[in-house]
């Protein structure tokens, strides 16, 4: 597992309004549409400028599972995220490159961000992050990491310049409780992580969960 | 349950760029920050203009559960969402009003959107929809709907002008499979819904799920 990162220097110094003309990564658009009764209306939304032309998907999130003798563990990350003003708990994720499948993207991003070589075992449907506000979307790819594979003995991440990502694992059965503990310590929770834990809790609350 | 809605007239007619000055609901901003090594950098992000001043939360999503003799059912909604260009499968949701708690917001929004009177039984941690792209966030509130309560015998939604929301329920144990079926029929899936189903699937795939 890569070393811990000291995030104490990471901080916002200033936030300022940005004009559409000056923005490189984010754009806002106005949609003219007819509602279900046929009446013309309009709506504002935000989008990324980075989506691969011709693709209908921005990228992937990765549910990377390490099968340990003590039980499966989920791989999570800590990363300072300026928009939320703090260190966020996330799954490994990345934007799709031209020509690759989502599963290839997941295996590539996992390798780059953590050094682990994995195998995609499940793809979620396409899901939209906040459909009333923006069009950003992703699929969640489940990737198994075989710890018996010699290539996974001493994984080394390959961070890009300026990329500071700390990787850690959580026993799957303690997933939901761990996120609440991390929030109490001041970390921000990515909805793609917390909602998966909400699924655990919902199954547990209504008796669909095995207590092991 | 309210009547079905015919969404066949709902369609985008035009999408056009919008300047920051002309936008009312969405804004883009530039953050100046120091990264974990202390190096100054900047980042662009999108935000809502609607957050209650002094609040750190935009609103709630609602996991509304109806306890039926045949097993718990989850309440879901269909709504045309211009940013994703289609009819989205969502949980009931809403933005926080000044002076109310998140639990009060959840019970109020559920009543307005579906007519059901519920009781909040669980609040998720605060979660960020897409922390690299925007600062929008929410908590997911679980709300029990008691079908023996006479007020829940004939629930009537109170849609706002121009609001077209169809409500339906899904047996909790068929939740994940139902979302895949809805996607295959052309519906768009809200991540807040699909990720909860991903939690179900993850628990099931790694043997934490009871098969009932």
């Amino acid at each position: 597992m890569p070393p811990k990162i000291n995030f104490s220097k990471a901080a916002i110094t200033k936030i300022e309004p940005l004009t559409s003309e000056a923005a490189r990564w984010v754009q806002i658009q106005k949609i003219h549409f007819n509602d279900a009764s046929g009446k013309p209306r309009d709506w504002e939304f935000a989008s990324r400028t980075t989506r691969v032309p011709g693709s209908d998907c921005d990228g992937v999130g990765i549910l990377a599972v390490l099968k340990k003798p003590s039980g499966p563990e989920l791989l999570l990350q800590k990363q300072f995220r300026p928009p939320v003003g703090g260190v966020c708990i996330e799954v490994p994720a990345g934007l799709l490159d031209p020509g690759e499948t989502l599963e290839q993207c997941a295996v590539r991003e996992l390798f780059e961000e953590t050094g682990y070589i994995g195998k995609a075992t499940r793809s979620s449907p396409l899901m939209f992050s906040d459909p009333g506000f923006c069009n950003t979307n992703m699929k969640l790819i489940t990737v198994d990491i075989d710890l018996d594979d010699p290539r996974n003995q001493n994984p080394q991440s390959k961070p890009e310049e300026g990329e500071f990502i700390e990787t850690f694992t959580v026993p799957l059965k303690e997933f939901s409780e761990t996120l609440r503990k991390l929030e109490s310590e001041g970390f921000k929770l990515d909805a793609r992580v917390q909602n998966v834990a909400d699924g655990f809790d919902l199954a547990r609350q209504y008796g669909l969960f095995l207590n092991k």
Side-chain angles (χ1 to χ4, degrees), chain A:
Chain A
M1 205 63 68
K4 289 206 170 199
I5 288 174
N6 180 348
F7 289 104
S8 62
K9 287 182 183 157
I12 291 175
T13 51
K14 189 172 122 188
I15 301 181
E16 60 182 338
L18 187 65
T19 64
S20 312
E21 296 73 24
R24 285 183 61 203
W25 308 105
V26 179
Q27 57 191 353
I28 38 181
Q29 288 166 283
K30 188 175 208 164
I31 304 178
H32 301 267
F33 72 104
N34 298 326
D35 71 17
S37 75
K39 185 176 171 182
R41 295 182 180 273
D42 54 57
W43 196 273
E44 298 175 6
F45 80 111
S47 60
R48 293 182 188 275
T49 59
T50 48
R51 189 177 291 178
V52 173
S55 173
D56 62 357
C57 180
D58 287 314
V60 299
I62 304 160
L63 289 175
V65 179
L66 294 91
K67 290 180 173 175
K68 294 198 175 175
S70 53
E73 298 194 0
L74 189 63
L75 191 149
L76 297 176
Q77 297 184 327
K78 294 177 182 173
Q79 186 169 190
F80 181 77
R81 288 294 193 178
V84 304
V87 178
C88 210
I89 306 297
E90 309 178 3
V91 289
L95 300 178
L96 195 64
D97 279 349
E100 69 183 351
T101 66
L102 294 168
E103 291 74 14
Q104 286 166 343
C105 177
V107 170
R108 174 182 60 74
E109 287 281 353
L110 179 69
F111 181 66
E112 289 172 6
E113 292 190 358
T114 71
Y116 280 118
I117 293 180
K119 187 184 166 193
T121 60
R122 173 189 175 273
S123 298
S124 78
L126 184 66
M127 64 184 96
F128 293 86
S129 306
D130 196 348
F133 175 74
C134 57
N135 73 344
T136 66
N137 65 20
M138 64 183 296
K139 285 193 183 191
L140 210 50
I141 312 291
T142 307
V143 175
D144 275 359
I145 296 171
D146 178 2
L147 292 174
D148 291 332
D149 186 328
R151 297 172 298 174
N152 286 331
Q153 297 305 310
N154 186 24
Q156 303 290 333
S157 65
K158 289 129 204 86
E160 293 176 33
E161 198 271 321
E163 200 173 44
F164 299 90
I165 302 176
E166 180 177 320
T167 298
F168 64 106
T169 65
V170 175
L172 210 51
K173 62 182 177 182
E174 296 165 16
F175 179 32
S176 179
E177 293 72 16
T178 302
L179 291 181
R180 287 193 185 261
K181 182 163 174 289
L182 287 164
E183 189 195 41
S184 74
E185 294 168 359
F187 293 98
K188 313 289 184 180
L189 306 180
D190 185 322
R192 277 74 60 103
V193 176
Q194 176 55 42
N195 275 151
V196 174
D198 288 322
F200 271 49
D201 281 356
L202 191 68
R204 191 151 32 192
Q205 188 173 350
Y206 294 95
L208 306 180
F209 205 83
L210 207 66
N211 230 346
K212 81 175 201 183

